[in-house]
Amino acid sequence: MWIYEKKLQYPVRVSTCNPKLAKYLIEQYGGADGELAAALRYLNQRYTIPDKVVGLLTDIGTEEFAHLEMIATMVYKLTKDATPDQLKEAGLDTHYVNHDNALFYHNAGGVPFTAAYIQAKGDPIADLYEDIAAEEKARATYQWIINMSDDPDLNDGLRFLREREIIHAQRFREAVELLKEERDRKKVF
């Protein structure tokens, strides 16, 4: 199904070691509105969605894994040279005690990822509205991380991710309209 290219979807650069920014970014790694939850949600929903929009969920779900890889790279680069004291100061001390510098799926508050984050109702229109909301929440979170960041190199990648969330929401809105049109079409038997 996939062909993996050994490069990121968009270049990831950081200006300096900054564990505090890494902590914020972990929200998009393992949080309820993060990239892992989105990828799993869309790839799961495609089994109960009409054929007209299956490809859209597959495409966006796959792209969310590319975004997850970008977030992991950002977190790694922001923490790879951090001392235990810097991690503690950034509020990552419990993460360090449990995982050293390894990435782990949890949100910025340290709450582990859970399958409860993945929504699937089985009603195509309801699921697509859930997907629109997920993309808008991710967009907002990226903006708030950008607002907290003083790293212009990191912000470049974050702006790319924020813009992709906007495009995904637009595509899901188009899919809703397509399915509504089909649902409302007069049926003659």
Side-chain angles (χ1 to χ4, degrees):
M1 181 174 170
W2 288 289
I3 296 173
Y4 178 69
E5 290 184 42
K6 293 183 180 184
K7 65 178 188 169
L8 295 174
Q9 183 182 14
Y10 189 85
V12 168
R13 297 182 319 271
V14 302
S15 300
T16 185
C17 175
N18 190 332
K20 190 70 151 180
L21 274 176
K23 181 177 182 181
Y24 303 148
L25 281 169
I26 288 173
E27 184 65 34
Q28 292 300 82
Y29 192 68
D33 303 316
E35 303 295 352
L36 178 63
L40 295 175
R41 176 184 301 116
Y42 307 152
L43 293 175
N44 182 60
Q45 288 174 351
R46 68 196 177 119
Y47 292 101
T48 55
I49 203 100
D51 289 342
K52 285 185 173 190
V53 294
V54 167
L56 177 66
L57 286 169
T58 303
D59 291 348
I60 295 176
T62 301
E63 185 176 343
E64 298 295 357
F65 279 126
H67 296 175
L68 185 69
E69 186 178 34
M70 288 177 64
I71 293 296
T73 302
M74 290 173 180
V75 171
Y76 171 75
K77 287 183 173 188
L78 288 167
T79 59
K80 72 181 178 100
D81 296 325
T83 66
D85 285 339
Q86 288 174 308
L87 293 171
K88 184 176 182 178
E89 186 178 315
L92 290 170
D93 47 334
T94 55
H95 176 95
Y96 176 75
V97 166
N98 285 302
H99 310 288
D100 189 34
N101 287 334
L103 286 160
F104 184 76
Y105 292 108
H106 61 76
N107 68 13
V111 178
F113 182 84
T114 173
Y117 295 159
I118 303 165
Q119 298 300 315
K121 191 67 175 171
D123 178 279
I125 294 173
D127 282 344
L128 287 168
Y129 276 123
E130 170 68 29
D131 300 343
I132 293 165
E135 294 294 328
E136 292 294 351
K137 289 185 277 185
R139 175 202 48 80
T141 302
Y142 279 123
Q143 184 59 56
W144 297 328
I145 294 170
I146 291 167
N147 293 349
M148 298 294 290
S149 171
D150 60 356
D151 187 328
D153 290 329
L154 178 70
N155 288 350
D156 179 55
L158 293 174
R159 280 190 294 275
F160 170 82
L161 292 168
R162 181 193 62 201
E163 296 306 311
R164 295 305 300 163
E165 305 300 345
I166 292 168
I167 290 167
H168 294 168
Q170 289 171 340
R171 297 291 314 279
F172 285 138
R173 284 183 180 95
E174 293 166 6
V176 165
E177 293 309 311
L178 181 71
L179 294 181
K180 281 180 170 180
E181 185 179 294
E182 186 175 292
R183 177 195 66 190
D184 297 339
R185 190 174 299 136
K186 189 172 188 174
K187 294 181 174 72
V188 179
F189 296 97

